Amino acid sequence: MTVDEKLTRNAFKPDEESHISLDEAVCRSRCTERYCVRVCPAALYAWSEEGDRMVVEHAGCLECGTCLVACSHGALAWRYPRGGRGVQYRYG
Ligand code: SF4
Ligand code: SF4
């Protein structure tokens, strides 16, 4: 079984409240690297040209914490989803 196949077995119980928040002003004005887009294994970050802001879809988060480490501007606030919510791994 490939890693991608294993990931499709995960179950998600999304929290209505996002556990990830961004300082949009920092993303917009100070960040040219946008490492969050490149490192998220679930591809949850995307730059919105329409909204002129970085957006993150928290519902599919794998809770790896990589984005928090990768953001070199301290623009990310991250915590685990509230109890009982978030990803449920089926293969480790
Ligand atoms: S890396 Fe950090 S500052 Fe840059 S766009 Fe992503 S969250 Fe914003
Ligand atoms: S914790 Fe991992 S999966 Fe969740 S948004 Fe950050 S990089 Fe993506």
Side-chain angles (χ1 to χ4, degrees):
M1 184 180 280
T2 66
V3 171
D4 283 344
E5 286 171 338
K6 288 181 178 179
L7 287 173
T8 62
R9 303 291 175 96
N10 294 335
F12 292 91
K13 188 176 177 186
D15 193 344
E16 315 81 55
E17 187 180 297
S18 178
H19 62 287
I20 307 168
S21 60
L22 307 174
D23 186 331
E24 292 184 7
V26 173
C27 298
R28 184 181 302 111
S29 62
R30 287 178 36 203
C31 184
T32 54
E33 309 88 2
R34 296 179 185 165
Y35 290 132
C36 55
V37 176
R38 289 193 259 169
V39 301
C40 178
L44 300 179
Y45 287 85
W47 181 258
S48 166
E49 293 293 346
E50 280 182 7
D52 190 31
R53 66 189 186 103
M54 182 59 70
V55 292
V56 56
E57 175 49 64
H58 74 280
C61 181
L62 298 170
E63 299 172 28
C64 64
T66 309
C67 54
L68 182 61
V69 175
C71 178
S72 52
H73 295 279
L76 259 167
W78 193 100
R79 60 172 171 75
Y80 284 105
R82 292 180 295 173
R85 298 174 177 87
V87 65
Q88 295 170 0
Y89 284 96
R90 298 281 165 79
Y91 286 92

